[in-house]
C-alpha cells in the first residue's frame, strides 16, 4: 500500500490530454512544495519529468505540466503521443515518516 | 554527463547476503547524496534510504530500517546497498538515484537514476 494514491490507469486518444492525480496528506504533499513526477518506460529506469511541483526537468517538453493544491498534486500530459505510454509515479518527502514516499504508479495508455 | 552505473544482476539463495554498488561519474560525487529505491516485479517504487556521500550520514525508510545497510566509499565514487538474510520477498529491481537536493531533514527530487540491479532470491 503506497503512501501516495494514484489511479491505476488512464487512457486517451493520440493528441488528447490526460491528467494523473496524486493524493497525499498533511505530512507529505500538504507539507512541502517538492513534489516530483517520474516516467518509467517499459524495461527502463524511472526518469524525472517534473520537480518542485511544476518545474520541468531538463529536456522535458512543455506538453508535460505539474501542479499542486493542498494535499494533492496533478500531472498533465497534453498532445498525447504513443511514446508517452508508460508508468508514471509521483513522489515527495514525508515529514512524519522521515522518508521519501511514492505513489503506486499510473499506467498511461494511448488508444 | 551525470551517470550512475550499478553492478550486474544477482541470483542468491535465501539466507545469503548481497552488496550492490553504484558508481557515480560526471559530477562532484561528494556534493550530492545517493538514495536507493526498490521496485518489486510489476509493482511501484519504494524508498529504501539515503546516504550523504560527504560524511556517510544515513537514514532509512521505516520498512527497511534494520534490514539493509547503505554505505559509501567516496575515494572511488561508489555507494553500496547491502541486503542481509535474503528472502524470496527481496526479489526486485534495485535502483540508486541522485537527489537534486538533500539536507539532514529531507530530500527532494531524484534527478538521475542508475540502470537498476535485478536481484533474484530463489532456492
Amino acid at each position: 500500500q503506497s503512501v501516495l494514491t494514484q489511479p491505476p490507469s488512464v487512457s486517451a486518444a493520440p493528441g488528447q490530454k490526460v491528467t494523473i492525480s496524486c493524493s497525499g496528506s498533511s505530512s507529505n504533499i500538504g507539507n512541502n512544495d517538492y513534489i516530483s513526477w517520474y516516467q518509467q518506460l517499459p524495461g527502463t529506469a524511472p526518469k524525472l519529468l517534473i520537480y518542485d511541483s511544476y518545474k520541468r526537468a531538463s529536456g522535458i517538453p512543455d506538453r508535460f505540466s505539474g501542479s499542486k493544491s493542498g494535499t494533492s498534486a496533478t500531472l498533465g500530459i497534453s498532445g498525447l503521443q504513443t511514446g508517452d505510454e508508460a508508468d508514471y509515479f509521483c513522489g515527495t518527502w514525508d515529514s512524519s515518516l522521515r522518508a521519501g514516499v511514492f505513489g503506486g504508479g499510473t499506467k498511461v495508455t494511448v488508444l | 554527463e551525470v551517470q550512475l552505473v550499478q553492478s550486474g544482476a544477482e541470483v542468491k539463495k535465501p539466507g545469503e547476503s548481497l552488496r550492490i554498488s553504484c558508481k557515480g561519474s560526471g559530477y562532484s560525487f561528494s556534493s550530492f547524496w545517493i538514495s536507493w529505491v526498490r521496485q518489486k516485479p510489476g509493482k511501484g517504487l519504494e524508498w529504501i534510504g539515503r546516504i550523504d556521500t560527504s560524511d556517510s550520514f544515513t537514514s532509512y525508510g521505516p520498512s527497511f530500517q534494520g534490514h539493509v545497510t547503505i554505505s559509501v566509499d567516496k575515494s572511488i565514487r561508489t555507494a553500496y546497498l547491502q541486503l542481509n538474510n535474503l528472502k524470496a520477498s527481496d526479489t526486485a529491481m534495485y535502483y540508486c538515484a541522485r537527489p537534486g537536493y538533500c539536507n539532514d531533514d529531507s530530500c527532494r527530487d531524484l534527478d538521475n537514476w542508475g540502470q537498476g540491479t535485478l536481484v533474484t532470491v530463489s532456492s
Side-chain angles (χ1 to χ4, degrees):
Chain A
Q1 192 81 340
S2 300
V3 172
L4 306 179
T5 301
Q6 299 179 232
S9 63
V10 296
S11 61
Q16 298 299 303
K17 179 175 182 176
V18 295
T19 60
I20 301 171
S21 61
C22 175
S23 178
S25 69
S26 59
S27 64
N28 42 65
I29 295 177
N31 191 51
N32 72 80
D33 291 326
Y34 307 120
I35 317 306
S36 49
W37 289 91
Y38 305 89
Q39 177 193 60
Q40 187 175 34
L41 296 168
T44 69
K47 171 185 170 183
L48 179 66
L49 289 177
I50 299 288
Y51 67 101
D52 293 358
S53 300
Y54 67 93
K55 297 175 182 177
R56 283 184 297 277
S58 177
I60 302 303
D62 58 8
R63 299 188 299 105
F64 293 88
S65 62
S67 64
K68 180 207 139 172
S69 179
T71 59
S72 292
T74 301
L75 174 70
I77 310 173
S78 61
L80 206 57
Q81 302 175 359
T82 55
D84 296 332
E85 287 202 328
D87 293 320
Y88 293 82
F89 297 90
C90 57
T92 190
W93 188 263
D94 191 294
S95 59
S96 292
L97 296 174
R98 299 182 62 82
V101 290
F102 294 101
T106 299
K107 183 175 182 59
V108 169
T109 301
V110 182
L111 300 172
Chain B
E1 178 195 8
V2 174
Q3 282 196 311
L4 297 173
V5 178
Q6 298 182 224
S7 48
E10 301 267 8
V11 179
K12 292 291 187 180
K13 289 182 166 43
E16 293 184 335
S17 296
L18 168 67
R19 190 174 76 163
I20 302 168
S21 67
C22 170
K23 185 175 179 67
S25 63
Y27 70 100
S28 177
F29 183 76
S30 294
S31 297
F32 291 85
W33 297 52
I34 291 286
S35 289
W36 288 91
V37 175
R38 182 175 78 178
Q39 187 172 35
K40 292 187 176 183
K43 301 298 184 182
L45 306 175
E46 301 173 272
W47 191 86
I48 298 172
R50 60 180 183 149
I51 188 164
D52 184 342
T53 57
S54 67
D55 64 7
S56 298
F57 172 84
T58 56
S59 69
Y60 300 93
S63 300
F64 296 93
Q65 182 79 44
H67 298 290
V68 303
T69 302
I70 297 173
S71 60
V72 67
D73 184 341
K74 59 184 179 182
S75 70
I76 56 171
R77 307 169 63 90
T78 301
Y80 301 96
L81 174 68
Q82 175 142 348
L83 311 172
N84 295 318
N85 191 22
L86 287 164
K87 301 177 176 55
S89 57
D90 293 317
T91 294
M93 185 73 82
Y94 291 83
Y95 294 101
C96 65
R98 190 189 79 166
Y101 175 81
C102 273
N103 57 28
D104 285 356
D105 294 324
S106 68
C107 277
R108 298 181 191 173
D109 54 277
L110 299 171
D111 63 6
N112 284 273
W113 293 67
Q115 82 276 19
T117 297
L118 180 61
V119 174
T120 302
V121 183
S122 174
S123 54

